[in-house]
Amino acid sequence: MWLMERVMRILFAEDDDPKSQNIESFLVERDGDFSMLKVKSVRSAIDALRRTKPDLILLDMSLPTFDIGRSEPGGRPQSAGGISVLDHMQHAEIVVPTIIITQHEAFDYEGSTISLSALLKTLSAKYSDCFAGLVRYNTITGQWRSDLANVLSSHIGGARS
């Protein structure tokens, strides 16, 4: 169990349903003792952080501005939407371990394209109070499972491997 005294609360910001389902299934197999609030956009992640205090955040890097719906196209897609969420957390002084889980290898950030390794360095330096790690999600290799398990074990108190 991740937290002995209560169920861990996870905020999961992901707009890709198959990816979301795979990650949630992995967490259930690993340790099903958690509650998860799923959101699908930068705006809904920020709104959720205003209402709740999760114990852990799983955050996609590429998110639409708003939730996509029948009457809402989702706003401008944000290649580095996860950074907008991290910026909000920093500004609001919200310190929650945050794991970035992304399928992409490069991102548009501050007017240029940066690689995954450069993104890792940037996140580690700029958000050192809450950034717990970065996992490259790839369904072909499945390596993301052990990478996520390692980040959880290394940075999230009491996580099992």
Side-chain angles (χ1 to χ4, degrees), residues 78-100:
Q78 296 187 37
S79 171
I83 290 178
S84 297
V85 176
L86 289 166
D87 284 342
H88 170 78
M89 291 171 62
Q90 191 171 58
H91 178 73
E93 298 179 353
I94 299 169
V95 179
V96 176
T98 303
I99 301 171
I100 302 294

Side-chain angles (χ1 to χ4, degrees), residues 61 76 78-84 86-87 90 106-115 118-127:
M61 186 51 59
R76 181 177 59 86
Q78 296 187 37
S79 171
I83 290 178
S84 297
L86 289 166
D87 284 342
Q90 191 171 58
F107 301 87
D108 294 329
Y109 178 63
E110 295 182 346
S112 62
T113 301
I114 65 170
S115 68
L119 178 68
L120 177 60
K121 289 177 187 173
T122 298
L123 296 176
S124 296
K126 187 172 180 180
Y127 307 102

